[in-house]
């Protein structure tokens, strides 16, 4: 990249911070504008109080990282975070409270997957053979399939137990979309990278600190040490071209926004981006108005899935492992439960995750507490239930996602922007890095 551009990044989530760090490494100057007080977007820390009055720091959603999060881990190291100190590294394991399920041994990839399948508890020989046969076929096909195929269609030859105890939990945790609605092509990409790709790719990486400390705060500090700025409580709701420069408009932007920018990377949520850029597109010069409004319309057409995290507590609550899979149903909706004490948190505090969540907060909380009693034998008190209603886009077959390039000098990044990954932190980070790498081309297009 040619150095010396003055870049505005709108949004201090993981995508925006990845873009700002990557641009700064290339010699540009990045200013990040964040509407809220907290950094991290949908992966941020929250304050709460336990029933006994103990203050705790929670997350707006319990996250699982996979070892295949290569760019996320690289970014963490670049800004001074040591992943080994803030992530609990476990071999892929999806045991249920009764001890049944799959556990990968700590072997080289892909032998760990083979060992896990062969040693899975509660699976019959027919179950294991159906998975081995099907996985071998996926590998021969290069882990690609028709883009119109659903995960349920892809896995129709697997036994009901494999579907219920492996495919459905993996699908809903990775794509946050039910298997009968989820994109098989994206699911295969995740399987390829996580289970059959790089060494350690299948490992589960569980944050042992709050999500704010995991990356966002360190990235902001790193930027500020290198001449960049991170401006919080700065809401950008529109923009315009002024000669060769972009001008941002909104509230709390400060003097730093008055001089204009060579390029803008829009890194907010999909809904915010679509609203702001549609407003700009309607008044933009004729030669770019169509491309901007078309981008906004594609973004507005995305459908979203909710994720709920129910935090509950009992002084004596313990899990046999840091994370357990749960048997989910309409009445018992959580797919996973985490022991926060095993992740450096408060003793007795558990986090239940409901991906593709349906229903209101109170109902979900009541259902999960009943599920804890039925499946874990624990009587828990509620602490906090967080429902991110637009947590991820619905990753459906043949989905058209908005492009990275919006107009010359104007780029988008985020987990919803076109790319090979579903709505994950790794997808967000890769999108931010890609947008930063595209800066030269988009700025050159302004002058052409």
């Amino acid at each position: 990249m040619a150095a010396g551009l003055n870049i505005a990044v709108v949004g201090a989530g993981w995508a925006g911070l990845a873009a700002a760090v990557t641009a700064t490494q290339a010699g540009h100057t990045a200013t990040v504008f964040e509407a809220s007080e907290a950094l991290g977007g949908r992966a941020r820390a929250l304050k709460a109080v336990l029933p006994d009055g103990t203050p705790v720091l929670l997350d707006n959603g319990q996250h699982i990282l996979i070892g295949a999060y290569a760019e996320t881990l690289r970014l963490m190291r670049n800004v001074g975070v040591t992943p080994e100190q803030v992530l609990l590294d476990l071999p892929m394991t999806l045991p249920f409270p009764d001890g049944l399920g799959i556990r990968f041994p700590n072997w080289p990839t892909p032998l760990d997957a083979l060992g896990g399948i062969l040693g899975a508890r509660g699976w019959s020989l027919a179950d294991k053979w159906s998975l081995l046969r099907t996985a071998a076929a996926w590998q021969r096909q290069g882990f690609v399939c028709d883009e119109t195929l659903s995960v349920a269609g892809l896995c129709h030859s697997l036994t009901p137990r494999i579907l219920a105890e492996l495919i459905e939990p993996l699908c809903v945790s990775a794509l946050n979309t039910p298997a009968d609605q989820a994109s098989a092509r994206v699911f295969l990409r995740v399987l390829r990278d996580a289970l059959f790709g790089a060494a350690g790719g299948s490992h589960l990486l569980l944050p042992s600190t709050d999500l704010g400390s995991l990356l966002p705060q360190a990235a902001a500090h790193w930027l500020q040490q290198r001449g960049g700025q991170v401006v919080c409580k700065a809401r950008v709701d529109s923009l315009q071209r002024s000669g060769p420069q972009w001008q941002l408009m909104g509230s709390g932007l400060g003097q730093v926004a008055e001089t204009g920018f060579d390029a803008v990377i829009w890194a907010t949520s999909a809904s915010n981006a679509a609203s702001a850029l549609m407003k700009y597109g309607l008044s933009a010069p004729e030669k770019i108005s169509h491309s901007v409004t078309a981008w906004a319309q594609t973004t507005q057409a995305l459908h979203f899935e909710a994720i709920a995290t129910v935090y509950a507590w009992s002084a004596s609550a313990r899990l046999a492992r840091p994370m357990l899979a749960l048997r989910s149903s309409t009445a018992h909706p959580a797919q996973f439960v985490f022991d926060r004490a095993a992740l450096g948190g408060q003793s007795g505090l558990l986090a239940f995750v409901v991906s593709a969540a349906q229903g209101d907060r109170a109902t979900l909380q009541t259902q999960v507490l009943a599920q804890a009693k039925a499946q874990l034998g624990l009587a828990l008190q509620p602490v906090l239930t967080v429902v991110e209603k637009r947590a991820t886009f619905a990753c459906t077959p043949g989905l058209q996602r908005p492009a990275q390039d919006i107009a010359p000098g104007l780029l988008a990044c985020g987990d919803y922007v076109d790319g090979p990954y579903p709505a994950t932190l790794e997808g967000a980070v890769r999108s931010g890095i890609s947008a930063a790498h595209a800066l030269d081309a988009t700025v050159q297009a302004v002058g052409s």
Side-chain angles (χ1 to χ4, degrees):
M1 289 187 214
L5 300 175
N6 188 24
I7 308 302
V9 179
V10 183
W14 288 49
L17 291 169
V21 168
T22 305
T24 301
Q25 289 174 321
H28 305 307
T29 300
T31 303
V32 183
F33 297 94
E34 170 54 45
S36 71
E37 292 185 72
L39 305 176
R42 292 191 303 275
R44 63 187 185 276
L46 297 174
K47 294 180 180 179
V49 179
L50 297 183
D52 66 356
T54 303
V56 290
L57 195 62
L58 306 177
D59 297 309
N60 71 315
Q62 177 68 52
H63 279 68
I64 311 171
L65 285 73
I66 307 292
Y69 272 41
E71 295 301 330
T72 301
L73 298 175
R74 184 177 295 113
L75 178 64
M76 291 170 68
R77 292 189 176 96
N78 285 342
V79 299
V81 177
T82 303
E84 293 78 10
Q85 295 178 354
V86 295
L87 295 169
L88 179 63
D89 186 337
L90 300 172
M92 172 66 73
T93 175
L94 294 174
F96 292 88
D98 57 12
L100 302 182
I102 190 169
R103 299 181 184 86
F104 283 20
N106 196 13
W107 295 351
T109 302
L111 294 178
D112 55 351
L114 178 61
I117 294 169
L118 293 175
R121 297 186 60 189
W123 292 6
S124 69
L125 287 176
D127 294 327
K128 296 172 183 180
W129 174 242
S130 80
L131 180 56
L132 288 170
R133 183 184 64 244
T134 303
W138 293 340
Q139 193 163 29
R140 287 194 302 271
Q141 296 161 8
F143 290 96
V144 295
C145 67
D146 188 286
E147 66 176 20
T148 63
L149 192 63
S150 71
V151 172
L154 175 75
C155 301
H156 71 277
S157 63
L158 295 173
T159 64
R161 183 177 290 276
I162 298 299
L163 289 172
E165 296 191 0
L166 180 65
I167 299 301
E168 290 176 4
L170 279 179
C171 180
V172 79
S173 63
L175 278 64
N176 195 38
T177 307
D180 62 343
Q181 303 170 32
S183 166
R185 175 169 287 194
V186 176
F187 184 66
L188 283 176
R189 174 61 186 259
V190 172
L191 287 185
R192 188 197 73 181
D193 290 357
L195 301 189
F196 302 97
S202 66
H203 283 209
L204 299 177
L205 305 177
L206 307 182
S208 57
T209 185
D210 67 271
L211 293 176
S213 300
L214 196 61
L215 174 70
Q217 293 168 9
H221 181 67
W222 186 95
L223 287 167
Q224 291 163 340
Q225 285 185 318
R226 288 156 181 80
Q229 296 189 56
V230 179
V231 186
C232 292
K233 295 185 179 181
R235 181 175 296 278
V236 180
D237 52 31
S238 187
L239 74 167
Q240 65 182 16
R241 285 296 292 186
S242 179
Q245 297 277 292
W246 289 96
Q247 299 289 336
L248 304 183
M249 292 167 286
S251 59
L253 305 186
Q255 293 182 345
V256 68
E258 294 178 0
T259 57
F261 298 93
D262 298 310
V264 175
I265 298 177
W266 204 282
T268 66
S269 68
S271 57
N272 175 280
S275 175
L277 294 175
M278 179 61 80
K279 182 188 300 184
Y280 169 64
L282 295 175
S283 61
E286 184 177 352
K287 64 179 182 179
I288 65 170
S289 176
H290 175 73
S291 63
V292 175
T293 54
W295 186 94
Q297 288 169 347
T298 300
T299 306
Q300 287 174 332
L302 295 173
H303 295 283
F304 293 86
E305 299 279 1
I307 298 178
T309 303
V310 179
Y311 292 99
W313 176 87
S314 169
S316 60
R318 302 285 189 280
L319 296 182
R321 293 178 176 270
M323 182 187 86
L324 293 175
L326 297 172
R327 292 184 170 86
S328 63
S329 64
T330 302
H332 292 159
Q335 294 95 6
F336 299 99
V337 59
F338 298 79
D339 190 334
R340 297 282 291 192
L343 302 175
Q346 191 69 28
S347 177
L349 181 62
L350 305 182
F352 296 81
V353 175
V354 184
S355 294
Q358 302 288 326
D360 60 82
R361 180 182 287 102
T363 300
L364 286 167
Q365 179 174 284
T366 299
Q367 291 175 328
V368 168
L369 292 178
Q371 185 176 7
K373 182 67 174 176
Q375 297 187 18
L376 300 173
L378 294 173
L380 302 173
Q381 295 178 264
V383 175
L384 179 68
T385 295
V386 182
V387 180
E388 290 281 349
K389 294 184 178 180
R390 297 171 65 87
T392 68
F393 64 88
C395 192
T396 52
L399 176 68
Q400 183 181 3
R401 293 160 64 175
Q404 172 182 274
D405 296 325
I406 305 173
L410 180 60
L411 299 158
C413 66
D415 59 13
Y416 66 93
V417 172
D418 192 26
Y421 277 83
T424 60
L425 294 177
E426 177 74 359
V429 167
R430 289 187 180 223
S431 179
I433 292 170
S434 177
H437 285 159
L439 283 170
D440 275 351
T442 193
V443 171
Q444 289 170 7
V446 174
S448 62

